[in-house]
Structure formats: C-alpha cells, structure tokens
Amino acid sequence: MTQRNWSVPETEVVQRIRDRLDADGTDVLATIVDVDGNAYRRPGAKMLLDEGGEGVGSITAGCLEDELVRVGARVRETGRPELVTYDLMEDDEEDVWGLGVGCNGAIEVLLEPLTDAYRPAVEAFTERRDVGVLTVIDGGDSGFEQGDRAYYYPDGDALRTPEGDEAVDWPAGLAGPARELAADGKADTVTVRHGGTEIEVFVDGLAAPADLVVFGTGHDVGPVTEFAAKNDFRVTVVGFRGAVDLEARFPAADRIVTTSPATVADDLDLGDRTYAVVMTHNFVDDQLTVEVLLNAGVPYVGLMGPRERFEQLREGFDESFGEAALESLYTPVGLDLGGGSPYQIAHSIVGEALAVSNGREPRHLREREGPIHERVDVESDAPAQ
C-alpha cells in the first residue's frame, strides 16, 4: 500500500468506492465498527481493497493494513462479510493477534464485498445529502444476517432498503440514532431488541462535506485550497475579477465562481455548514463580502489582515450590524502557529476553520484531559419488545 493511497482524504475514499462499484472485479470494503480504548482512527474509518491487494484509505497508522489485505482476500473468495478484532495493546501478554503495537486499545473491523447495496451511500454523499448507513453486525435469532443493510435519510425521516423501499421490517428504534449520527457525521454500534432478541447494528453517519469558500484569487489562495481539500472540505474559490484562469491556478478547488461582492448572496448557497476565508486584499471587496457573510449566518468567517484594518472596514458596515454577528468573525485569520511562509499561513487558516467546524477550541493535545477523540454514545429510541 503506497503512502499516497493511505493518506487520501475521506471524500476521495468515498469517490473511489463509487468508481469501483461500476468497475470489473470485486473490491472489499473494510470499516472500523467499534473501538475499545484508544486507537488511531474511530468507528466509521474506511479502507477499500482491490483484487490486486492495493488499498485506498486508512484504518490505522499503517500497522494493520497488510493484515487487512490478507483477510480481504478471504472475504473476496467466500463472498461473505467477516468481523475481525485486533488487539493493539502494548503489554507483553499473549493476545488474539499478537500485534502489540502500543495503541492501548482494540478495534473491530467489518470487511465486506463491495456490492450495489452500498451504492445509495455514495450517491447520497455525492448529492450532498446526509445519510445513515445501517449494517447488521450480529442478528442474533432475529432473522437478520451479518451484513444486511438499510439507509436512513434525515430529509425523508424513514429507513429505506438499498432498493429505496421503506424498510418496514427493520426496528423502528434505529431511526433516532441514525438521525443523530448522520447529521454529525459520526458512527456507533447500537443494540436494539427485535422479535424477542437483541441485534447489533452499526450506524455509520455520512454527513455531506462542509463547504470552505475562499474569496480571492492571489497566489496565497492556492495553499489554502490544497490544505482545505485534503481536510475534506468542499472548496470553492470566488473571484471578483474575470481575467485570470482560476481553474488552472487553483486545481485543488472543487468549484470556481466569478461574481461580484454585491451578488455573493445570490450566487452562493450560504448557510450553517459554510466556512469562509476572505483574502481578496481589496479593502472594498473585503468590506462588502464580510458583511454579506456575517448577515447570512456563516459560522466561520476568517478575514486576512491586521485588527486595525478590520476596524476601518467595520466603519463602513450597516448601522444595524450588531456585535452578536461578529462572534463568527476571526481576524486576523488563523491559529497562532508562529509561521510566516505561504504554506505555514495556509496551515494555520485551515486548522482554525477545521477546529471551528468540529466544535473544538484549539489547544495543545497534551493539555487535553481524557481521550483525544470524542466518544459517541447513542441509544435506541424504541421501547423494549
């Protein structure tokens, strides 16, 4: 497995899954469904394995990928999913796998043949719809088998089969956890009672990628778009002058928009999952753009330039513009990392946007108490049967 294939963004993994659904051969999808203790990745992390043993995506820091290729070959041969547990504890005691790589945790990985049953997940992701992917891990005596799948779409508020029909035979209590996890882009295993027995269902929330809109066409925009794309933002570059070939200048951007500050609100879909960086280096353009973004309720507006410049910009804002709207403005933009090169500046900008999008207050991890990854714990909302 190459370094490049291991380190791709999650959005690229989903795109590769979509591409391979229409290709010849049978790939195997490996997904972390549970973590006990600490591990490099959390539930929902994925890796796609092709018939040549090549993988795309990462589940660990690299210590299990070769082992997963071996198990993937077995799954491909049998055509049935397989749940495997890897003990990554650092002690010297004999464990199931004898790996002892020191992550102080154990992970469960579901490996399954990639079939059309997974197509609704990638289609929803491509269409920018949140979706919950429900996969049976242990059906008990309920009649469900490991690998059985359903989908939950928050905008439709119903469980669906892979064919799109309402999944009336699935436990109704799964809708609540699926709704929550899909909106947050998180994953968890939920235990519900169905037909007098307990079944375990892995609920994988695939939230549509957040948008990072960068206003400006200078060369300093390029590193920002590169880092943002690698961090799973859907990147839009907005230019206010039409003379530059923006697609050639910013190949990492998903979209290029040429408009004017006066029509930004009409040309862009601004909302609570839009994050913006304003770096036009034009006083009037910055002023008009920031006011539009803050009035639209964008949760993160990063503005390039010193505080003194912003105070001058602020003098031109509408008189009704209140202090509350300024809470989402970050200027000078970026985290205090101490760097001054274009890529160091871009790193601080994208890092700040990422922290805000994840609801984090940036600080040193050594100062954080408890695990570095947020734990997800949802329960079924169904009454006991």
Side-chain angles (χ1 to χ4, degrees):
M1 184 173 184
T2 66
Q3 170 68 19
R4 183 196 175 282
N5 287 345
W6 174 83
S7 60
V8 298
E10 292 295 293
T11 50
E12 190 170 328
V13 175
V14 176
Q15 180 59 52
R16 180 61 178 268
I17 293 172
R18 183 187 184 193
D19 293 342
R20 294 299 298 172
L21 280 170
D22 296 319
D24 294 331
T26 301
D27 287 15
V28 172
L29 179 63
T31 307
I32 295 180
V33 297
D34 191 31
V35 173
D36 182 14
N38 299 309
Y40 181 74
R41 301 294 307 276
R42 302 304 302 168
K46 299 172 182 61
M47 185 171 70
L48 186 66
L49 303 165
D50 64 23
E51 291 182 328
E54 194 64 46
V56 175
S58 60
I59 283 181
T60 70
C63 48
L64 288 181
E65 275 66 8
D66 289 343
E67 165 66 17
L68 289 169
V69 169
R70 184 185 67 79
V71 179
R74 186 168 67 229
V75 169
R76 186 178 295 108
E77 181 178 351
T78 64
R80 297 191 56 79
E82 189 170 332
L83 185 68
V84 292
T85 301
Y86 297 100
D87 192 330
L88 308 179
M89 301 296 287
E90 65 181 355
D91 57 51
D92 294 327
E93 296 180 8
E94 185 68 23
D95 56 60
V96 176
W97 297 97
L99 295 171
V101 295
C103 290
N104 287 320
I107 66 173
E108 284 189 346
V109 182
L110 177 68
L111 293 96
E112 56 184 322
L114 182 66
T115 69
D116 260 3
Y118 201 78
R119 188 179 294 276
V122 295
E123 288 183 347
F125 192 83
T126 302
E127 295 167 0
R128 303 183 57 71
R129 297 174 65 195
D130 296 343
V131 62
V133 185
L134 293 83
T135 307
V136 174
I137 301 300
D138 185 350
D141 297 326
S142 66
F144 285 101
E145 295 185 355
Q146 187 178 82
D148 285 350
R149 177 157 290 139
Y151 291 90
Y152 177 83
Y153 300 93
D155 53 8
D157 197 25
L159 289 176
R160 301 284 177 181
T161 67
E163 294 75 29
D165 302 320
E166 189 164 351
V168 294
D169 56 333
W170 281 67
L174 291 168
R179 183 186 305 111
E180 177 183 342
L181 294 167
D184 294 339
K186 305 295 185 181
D188 194 18
T189 296
V190 180
T191 300
V192 294
R193 292 196 63 82
H194 185 67
T197 188
E198 286 190 344
I199 65 173
E200 291 185 4
V201 179
F202 176 63
V203 184
D204 187 10
L206 293 181
D211 286 296
L212 185 72
V213 183
V214 186
F215 294 85
T217 58
H219 291 290
D220 56 345
V221 170
V224 175
T225 65
E226 291 179 40
F227 278 140
K230 290 183 182 298
N231 280 279
D232 291 308
F233 284 106
R234 182 174 181 267
V235 183
T236 298
V237 173
V238 178
F240 296 145
R241 310 291 180 267
V244 179
D245 183 357
L246 299 183
E247 292 186 0
R249 177 174 288 188
F250 307 116
D254 296 283
R255 187 170 60 138
I256 301 294
V257 174
T258 300
T259 183
S260 69
T263 59
V264 163
D266 296 327
D267 295 336
L268 297 173
D269 184 14
L270 303 174
D272 58 5
R273 292 175 73 168
T274 302
Y275 302 83
V277 178
V278 181
M279 47 196 308
T280 73
H281 305 292
N282 180 288
F283 187 89
V284 175
D285 288 348
D286 282 0
Q287 185 179 64
L288 295 173
T289 302
V290 168
E291 187 169 7
V292 169
L293 294 170
L294 295 179
N295 278 328
V298 173
Y300 173 85
V301 180
L303 174 63
M304 181 76 76
R307 291 185 180 87
E308 294 78 9
R309 183 174 183 268
F310 167 67
E311 291 303 327
Q312 293 177 331
L313 289 175
R314 188 177 178 182
E315 293 175 2
F317 287 168
D318 188 279
E319 292 182 358
S320 64
F321 202 71
E323 289 291 331
L326 297 179
E327 294 181 0
S328 60
L329 180 67
Y330 294 75
T331 186
V333 64
L335 302 177
D336 183 11
L337 302 181
S341 72
Y343 276 95
Q344 290 171 342
I345 293 171
H347 192 100
S348 74
I349 291 172
V350 175
E352 184 176 66
L354 191 63
V356 173
S357 70
N358 286 326
R360 290 293 186 91
E361 186 71 29
R363 66 181 189 271
H364 295 293
L365 284 177
R366 69 178 182 181
E367 298 172 0
R368 179 178 175 84
E369 296 182 2
I372 64 174
H373 297 296
E374 296 285 357
R375 276 13 182 193
V376 176
D377 187 15
V378 297
E379 296 180 357
S380 163
D381 55 4
Q385 296 184 21

